[in-house]
Amino acid sequence: MTDSSASIDRHPVLDVRSLRVEFPGVRQPVAQEISFKLQRGQTLGIVGESGSGKSITSLAVMGLLPNPGQVTQGEVWFQEASEDRSILTDESTSVPSQPKDLLTLSPSQLAHYRGKQMAMIFQEPMSSLNPVFTIGYQLIEAIIQHQSISQAEARRRAVYLLQEVKLLPSDDQLREQYLTNQISINREFNQVSEREINQGINQQKLAWLERYPHQLSGGQLQRVMIAIAISCNPALLIADEPTTALDVTVQATILELLQELRDNRDMAMIFITHDLGIIAEIADTVAVMYKGKIVECQPILDLFQNPQHPYTKSLLACRPRLDRSAKILPTIADFMEERILPDGRIEIIEKISSKPVIKSEYPSVQLPNITSRPDPILAVHHLKVGFPIQGIFGEYQQEYNWAVNDISFSVYPGETLGLVGESGCGKSTLARTILRLIEPQQGSIKFQGQDITKLDGEKMQVLRRELQIVFQNPFSALNPRMNICDLIVEPLVIHRTLKNKIQRRERAEYLLNRVGLNLDFLKCYPHQLSGGQRQRVCIARALALNPKFIICDESVSALDVSIQAQVLNLLKELQSEFDLTYIFISHDLSVVKFMSDRIMVMNQGKIEEIDNADAIYQSPQTDYTRKLISSIPIGSIDRIKELADRRSTVRNS
């Protein structure tokens, strides 16, 4: 080992000591006594609920705390590697400097580190990229900002980075694509000159650089953000919830990409998430945060095998899992309770009886055999929903992109039909078509034997009382100018079912209590509630008219694992009490399996397969379903050991 390497080993890339972050007017610090160390080539996972201090800690390290937040205590020691770290060569001359406390640096001095030595990937790539500039412009700008190179060289590196994050195909693949395209227009290999091939390849590269953010999918945008973050080969990469909004298949590819980049570049990485299943896929060590403190920090295998803190135990138990069946998920309240001490500090008390038990208060609907089944509450026959294709000059043609392509299925009273698939497969379009929010081109939708595609006006208005939907984003689904009481009774006002204000108020109070919120929330506004509380309000509003059928469209995908468990349990409890029938839509098969009696898998507007929930998991019939299942981060002990062995092999090689 060289002297420089030994120096790097003696000093961790990042050494955070007793960090404390406060906001004026907030009684408790948002982060306190935060301490951890991180070496090159290692990943520290930081896990916890929203508001636990995960992102604030990372922003404090980067010097990006929003005003008026400030670091009131602690040190953040960073080991800079002053080296010629070209991303295009295998040569790297390392001359490590002494660690520096980032909190003592001026803004101009700190700017030297941000982007070049430390980089950050944010949760929502669309809000992090400027929509009026091409991705090529924004990537080249990041390169030139920290490196003294020409515009042409920066463009060449930008192309290389897009290829490294596997957004742009390699040169060999681009060459093959170009030649294949030439053959399709009846040209032979010997008719295409090498110069023409190179021009074609360069045109394809330029086309990618000239794309705007709105022209890319969520997974592609996240890859652009990763390319910008690694453009100057940083020693530290912070990934703040980089896969939360992505499908499980895209999520799996992003996790694999981040691991590959970390190992190839020997970066240190902090990966922030609320999902311990994802953490198990990528982290070496995990720090669990709760209300601004690190309550537990262990190597990943030790954390899963022997969690010490009751909060960690509850997070592990709250996750729906494919490899076990549960009727009701454990929640944080099953494992711990809080006690406020006289000095204002919070004491956590572990419940002695807390065990990750599988409860079964609400049994699944057992559908009788086909010959004795009741009539379906919903029957969809040969449904087609398409959107016209826009021509070159903006006109709409007679051809359609079929979002829902000739599908048929039935839903029976009291059951939950899970609907799973990747983004763009037609799940939400199908849901909105069932509710007649989108008009179908062909087919029929029968609710309780009545074809609702033929209803209009007042008849359709009456039917809407029986059909409700809970949307993915509760904040955008609630009017910010209305208080919670008015939001819940709004359906009653529109449908004129309860004209007496006192009766409407009583109905709101009952529903709010039923979804687990106290009456103090009636006078609150949506912005004063957390994400889980807002989603409970949306559920209460959906129940206001006593519907028979509710569609839950990605209604828990944006929630923390613990809050998600509470909402899923609530939906099952309400189903039993109100005799509800659900269509439960999600891209996460583990959540769908927990909720559903049967599962329908959609792909590109068509049904891949539909069967009992356990059968779908145990013996999937199609390659697409198998791919969905294999992409879900399981977080099992065997999986963690497998990943640890793989990491050890990579490091040794």
Side-chain angles (χ1 to χ4, degrees), residues 182-364:
Q182 295 303 307
I183 293 174
S184 68
I185 56 176
N186 298 321
R187 296 186 66 185
E188 301 292 340
F189 280 113
N190 55 14
Q191 295 177 334
V192 185
S193 66
E194 194 64 29
R195 179 181 178 183
E196 188 177 354
I197 293 173
N198 290 333
Q199 286 178 340
I201 292 174
N202 289 332
Q203 286 175 357
Q204 292 181 69
K205 293 177 179 178
L206 180 63
W208 268 100
L209 291 177
E210 293 301 317
R211 292 191 181 189
Y212 287 86
H214 72 272
Q215 296 175 301
L216 276 64
S217 68
Q220 291 173 328
L221 287 172
Q222 200 60 281
R223 289 172 187 266
V224 173
M225 287 300 302
I226 294 172
I228 292 175
I230 66 173
S231 61
C232 297
N233 206 10
L236 172 66
L237 178 65
I238 300 176
D240 188 3
E241 300 270 15
T243 62
T244 299
L246 304 179
D247 295 329
V248 286
T249 49
V250 180
Q251 172 182 275
T253 59
I254 294 296
L255 290 175
E256 183 179 350
L257 171 63
L258 287 172
Q259 293 179 79
E260 183 180 326
L261 293 171
R262 174 200 61 197
D263 295 336
N264 292 344
R265 292 166 172 261
D266 198 28
M267 290 188 302
M269 183 161 64
I270 295 176
F271 193 95
I272 299 172
T273 183
H274 61 263
D275 190 341
L276 277 166
I278 295 176
I279 282 289
E281 292 288 314
I282 198 168
D284 299 293
T285 304
V286 182
V288 181
M289 291 193 68
Y290 181 70
K291 293 197 172 179
K293 292 183 178 181
I294 294 179
V295 296
E296 184 168 357
C297 188
Q298 289 197 73
I300 182 68
L301 185 58
D302 294 341
L303 186 94
F304 273 74
Q305 284 184 323
N306 188 27
Q308 299 298 309
H309 197 274
Y311 179 66
T312 309
K313 296 176 184 178
S314 67
L315 285 182
L316 288 168
C318 285
R319 298 179 303 118
R321 287 173 51 177
L322 282 171
D323 57 351
R324 73 180 183 197
S325 296
K327 303 307 177 186
I328 298 294
L329 292 170
T331 62
I332 291 177
D334 296 321
F335 290 81
M336 54 180 269
E337 60 182 350
E338 295 179 356
R339 179 183 299 167
I340 301 177
L341 301 177
D343 60 0
R345 291 184 297 113
I346 298 175
E347 181 184 21
I348 296 175
I349 302 172
E350 182 173 7
K351 293 184 177 180
I352 304 300
S353 60
S354 62
K355 296 179 181 179
V357 296
I358 299 175
K359 304 178 184 178
S360 57
E361 283 87 341
Y362 307 106
S364 302

Side-chain angles (χ1 to χ4, degrees), residues 382-388 400 402 404 433 438-443:
H382 302 292
L383 191 67
K384 296 187 73 172
V385 183
F387 301 95
Y400 289 86
W402 295 107
V404 176
T433 306
I438 296 176
E439 294 298 329
Q441 269 75 19
Q442 296 179 26

Side-chain angles (χ1 to χ4, degrees), residues 531-602:
Q533 290 169 340
R534 285 195 289 265
Q535 197 61 283
R536 288 169 182 264
V537 171
C538 289
I539 294 171
R541 187 173 64 171
L543 293 170
L545 294 168
N546 284 322
K548 296 179 180 178
F549 192 93
I550 295 180
I551 297 176
C552 300
D553 188 4
E554 298 277 10
S555 55
V556 297
S557 62
L559 303 179
D560 293 328
V561 176
S562 56
I563 304 299
Q564 174 181 279
Q566 295 174 20
V567 173
L568 292 176
N569 289 343
L570 173 65
L571 289 171
K572 281 204 166 188
E573 184 180 346
L574 294 173
Q575 182 177 32
S576 177
E577 179 178 340
F578 292 96
D579 195 24
L580 298 170
T581 303
Y582 291 145
I583 287 182
F584 190 90
I585 300 174
S586 178
H587 60 259
D588 187 342
L589 191 55
S590 59
V591 172
V592 172
K593 179 177 179 290
F594 167 75
M595 281 295 298
S596 306
D597 303 295
R598 290 186 300 144
I599 293 177
M600 183 168 75
V601 182
M602 281 191 70

